[in-house]
Amino acid sequence: MIRIALAALLVCMPAMARADDPPVPATVLVAFDSEKIRPLIVEGVADRATGRKVEANDPVRIASISKLIMALATLRLVEEGKVSLDADVSDYLGWELRSPNFPDAKVTLAQLLSHRSGLRDRVDYIIPLGESLRARVSNPEAWFADAPPGEAPFEYANLGSPVVATVLEAATGERYDRLVERTVFAPLGIEACLNWVGCSEERVQRAVVLYRDTGEVARDDAADLPPNCAIPVAEGVECTLDNYVPGTNASIFSPQGGVRIGMIDLARIGQELMREQSQVFPNEMMLPAGEALFAEQSPGQDFFCRYGFHMQIIDDADSPCKDTLFGDGQARLGHAGEAYGLRAGLWFTMEGRQGVAYFTTAVPPRPSAEDEGGFDPREIELMARAQALPAANR
């Protein structure tokens, strides 16, 4: 009997890692409902140079989930009466933003947040300190040529995010990082930041380094963190925000993808969205899905079939979209993140009963540049692992 028990124990034990085995990629997944947050999977190495293991709330660059936070900040400013979703953003910027082929068509925050402004990522959306946002969006290549803003087809474009963030700055006189702190992070008791601006030294030291699947450092190793320069800066320009004028170029905060936040704190944002849907979003733009906020997109969209103000609906059984992550028949709201070998997500059920916030690193790149959207097999496997854990249903 003892031999049998020992044999069973050996079968259950994980194989011993060899010295030449690659480190386990940093992966964190937390589940949440309206009241509780439960870390379910916390594994891997946050910094291979030091061997530091990842912890549940270590801050990581969440890529495009940052857009959801930007939308939330925008809607808070709508509540404050600082901005209007349907106003011409030129009125806030102090200069005229127009599609070159449609000079009489205004551009609005609603269009920008729903990727219907006509802006496209045919020009670089990273605009360093010392360069001009106005000049970048004056390039005809930045615009869809065949339809005006509002009528242009849905096209996911990072370039719209620096425009939105700059509009918010111009309307309030606040730097984008500070207004997000005031309207989103501080009320929820979250310590998070954009491009590490505003995060404490202790928080910076907990940074999750992003690695590519080759093991190459992609972002946020020691050389990429404060006190080194952590914002994009043009050649010959000093890396300081001392003379930055809000409302000129908020691209320096990477609003499209530069939020650094831990998964427990990201889950708090998910809880806020679940608890206060009617307050967070104006009623006329909320559910049912497919109306107003979540407009059906063109048939050519394989991933962003239902997308609104930087929120997406996935896993909808009635949709032909290639967006299955959970596979349990429950549609979910949220946003995905993908950059620098990272995959991440913040998702919660339509009924607001349960959600997850997660990231995993060192994910292989897509097979081709044309392969856009959809979830990586590692993400799908991660969801299956989490759903199989007893703690997932407590």
Side-chain angles (χ1 to χ4, degrees):
M1 293 294 293
I2 294 176
R3 288 181 180 177
I4 293 174
L6 286 172
L9 178 62
L10 289 172
V11 168
C12 294
M13 288 177 62
M16 294 293 289
R18 298 180 303 181
D20 57 349
D21 284 345
V24 175
T27 300
V28 174
L29 182 146
V30 303
F32 61 91
D33 56 29
S34 62
E35 301 299 331
K36 301 186 298 293
I37 297 172
R38 304 174 300 284
L40 297 184
I41 298 173
V42 182
E43 63 188 23
V45 179
D47 188 343
R48 299 181 184 183
T50 64
R52 175 171 55 86
K53 293 182 179 180
V54 72
E55 295 183 3
N57 205 36
D58 283 352
V60 66
R61 187 185 197 277
I62 57 170
S64 286
I65 305 172
S66 305
K67 295 181 176 72
L68 188 155
I69 293 171
M70 178 174 65
L72 183 52
T74 302
L75 293 170
R76 293 302 194 204
L77 294 180
V78 170
E79 293 173 352
E80 293 178 7
K82 300 289 180 61
V83 295
S84 168
L85 293 171
D86 296 320
D88 187 339
V89 297
S90 302
D91 295 341
Y92 302 112
L93 292 170
W95 48 270
E96 195 169 72
L97 177 66
R98 289 290 185 268
S99 171
N101 288 352
F102 302 95
D104 296 327
K106 69 179 182 180
V107 178
T108 69
L109 285 171
Q111 295 164 2
L112 291 161
L113 292 170
S114 57
H115 298 289
R116 300 298 296 269
S117 69
L119 282 173
R120 318 175 80 180
D121 284 346
R122 303 298 174 89
V123 299
D124 195 349
Y125 54 84
I126 299 174
I127 306 159
L129 182 69
E131 294 189 7
S132 169
L133 170 70
R134 182 177 183 178
R136 189 67 54 88
V137 295
S138 295
N139 186 336
E141 289 296 312
W143 297 88
F144 184 76
D146 299 326
E151 297 178 26
F154 174 93
E155 182 166 344
Y156 192 91
N158 289 286
L159 183 59
S161 294
V163 177
V164 171
T166 303
V167 169
L168 301 187
E169 287 189 337
T172 62
E174 298 175 82
R175 268 182 12 198
Y176 179 68
D177 61 313
R178 291 172 175 167
L179 72 86
V180 173
E181 168 69 21
R182 178 179 67 80
T183 60
V184 180
F185 298 151
L188 296 176
I190 290 169
E191 184 176 359
C193 54
L194 291 106
N195 282 350
W196 299 113
V197 178
C199 265
S200 66
E201 182 179 350
E202 179 183 5
R203 202 82 182 118
V204 171
Q205 289 176 350
R206 297 298 313 176
V208 176
V209 182
L210 298 185
Y211 296 92
R212 303 193 187 280
D213 65 313
T214 59
E216 175 190 4
V217 172
R219 287 299 302 266
D220 290 347
D221 66 338
D224 204 24
L225 299 174
N228 298 311
C229 188
I231 62 173
V233 175
E235 186 175 354
V237 174
E238 185 181 3
C239 184
T240 176
L241 294 173
D242 290 348
N243 298 317
Y244 175 71
V245 178
T248 56
N249 176 25
S251 176
I252 58 177
F253 301 107
S254 300
Q256 76 284 345
V259 169
R260 269 63 167 195
I261 190 172
M263 293 302 98
I264 291 176
D265 283 338
L266 185 59
R268 291 191 177 105
I269 292 176
Q271 288 178 321
E272 175 75 355
L273 292 169
M274 289 198 311
R275 280 195 301 257
E276 301 185 27
Q277 287 183 3
S278 61
Q279 284 76 41
V280 171
F281 298 106
N283 290 331
E284 67 271 16
M285 290 183 289
M286 200 47 195
L287 302 178
E291 296 181 10
L293 177 59
F294 297 101
E296 298 287 351
Q297 306 305 342
S298 62
Q301 292 292 330
D302 287 336
F303 185 59
F304 296 112
C305 287
R306 305 177 89 172
Y307 193 96
F309 286 3
H310 289 326
M311 288 190 73
Q312 180 181 356
I313 299 176
I314 63 166
D315 270 319
D316 186 346
D318 296 327
S319 169
C321 207
K322 297 177 182 177
D323 61 3
T324 300
L325 177 60
F326 295 86
D328 59 4
Q330 295 189 75
R332 286 171 170 83
L333 295 165
H335 209 291
E338 176 187 358
Y340 302 107
L342 168 135
R343 293 294 186 102
L346 174 65
W347 303 105
F348 57 93
T349 56
M350 301 282 282
E351 299 82 5
R353 294 175 183 167
Q354 57 187 352
V356 297
Y358 74 90
F359 75 86
T360 188
T361 58
V363 177
R366 294 181 182 276
S368 70
E370 289 73 32
D371 180 19
E372 296 183 357
F375 296 101
D376 187 84
R378 273 184 50 190
E379 293 178 277
I380 297 170
E381 179 187 6
L382 184 63
M383 292 309 114
R385 285 176 58 195
Q387 289 173 312
L389 293 172
N393 299 310
R394 289 179 186 170

